Amino acid sequence: GEVKNLDGEYVSHPLAVWLSYGVAKCYTSKGDEISKVKFREWNVLHNYLDKISQSLGNFKVICFVHNLGYEFDYVIKNVSLPINFLTNSSHSVIATTLVRYPNIQFRCSYLLSGYSLARIGKMINLPKLESDYRQILPSQKVTSQEWEYCERDNDIVAKYIVDVCIKEYGLLF
């Protein structure tokens, strides 16, 4: 179905991508970016997810997180406790729905694809950017190159979902 995006325009089947540096983006199922947020504090992410959740009503949004198993600990400590979660035989988190956002399902794009972001980037002709990875604490400044790196990672996941998963297997909703 169609729903209104954060600008009040109608879009079909929104999906979101969130990666750990602190960027979340919302895309259409055709891969067009609807909105994004850069965050270094959890309340900024909360506000963004609140807007998405409220603006879409009962419509379910899938938020892909590459390596959700790693991020899951941060999610339940800083975003919301889970209503439920699905794990595989290795106890890696495949999907979860949170108490605060019951219409947003978080899914692991790493377990969905089985590939690193670098490999996916090569597959879809959107190369992963190079970065001198460092752990960034909330009090530290993020450089423009690091923001660009994180945004590209979001775009890689979204393009993979749209160009491979949706085209090959149909909508994932």
Side-chain angles (χ1 to χ4, degrees):
E2 288 195 335
V3 295
K4 286 185 180 180
N5 67 15
L6 301 179
D7 297 323
E9 301 162 339
Y10 284 95
V11 297
S12 296
H13 303 289
L15 59 98
V17 177
W18 165 37
L19 291 154
S20 62
Y21 260 162
V23 173
K25 288 186 172 188
C26 193
Y27 303 83
T28 68
S29 60
K30 293 184 170 137
D32 300 319
E33 184 180 315
I34 299 171
S35 64
K36 73 178 174 185
V37 66
K38 295 178 181 178
F39 64 94
R40 298 301 300 139
E41 296 176 3
W42 290 107
N43 67 320
V44 176
L45 179 63
H46 280 288
N47 291 340
Y48 183 71
L49 293 175
D50 285 341
K51 284 180 186 177
I52 290 173
S53 185
Q54 292 165 6
S55 71
L56 300 176
N58 291 329
F59 192 82
K60 186 164 286 281
V61 174
I62 299 175
C63 182
F64 292 94
V65 181
H66 209 69
N67 200 358
L68 179 60
Y70 175 79
E71 300 296 339
F72 188 68
D73 187 51
Y74 295 102
V75 168
I76 63 173
K77 288 179 181 172
N78 299 293
V79 179
S80 176
L81 292 173
I83 293 172
N84 56 41
F85 57 93
L86 175 65
T87 61
N88 64 13
S89 61
S90 310
H91 304 290
S92 297
V93 178
I94 297 170
T96 188
T97 304
L98 305 177
V99 172
R100 185 168 175 163
Y101 308 106
N103 62 336
I104 301 175
Q105 184 182 65
F106 295 82
R107 293 188 189 175
C108 183
S109 55
Y110 175 70
L111 291 177
L112 176 68
S113 68
Y115 300 121
S116 68
L117 284 176
R119 175 112 185 249
I120 292 172
K122 287 179 186 175
M123 288 171 45
I124 61 169
N125 202 26
L126 185 63
K128 183 169 174 58
L129 298 176
E130 296 294 323
S131 174
D132 293 329
Y133 183 81
R134 66 182 175 109
Q135 183 176 13
I136 302 173
L137 301 174
S139 60
Q140 295 174 310
K141 183 172 172 38
V142 179
T143 68
S144 60
Q145 292 85 7
E146 288 167 327
W147 285 124
E148 182 182 8
Y149 173 85
C150 190
E151 286 197 47
R152 173 64 69 93
D153 283 357
N154 275 257
D155 295 340
I156 290 169
V157 171
K159 187 168 174 53
Y160 175 77
I161 297 300
V162 170
D163 289 357
V164 177
C165 297
I166 292 175
K167 283 185 180 167
E168 295 285 326
Y169 308 108
L171 290 174
L172 302 169
F173 304 97

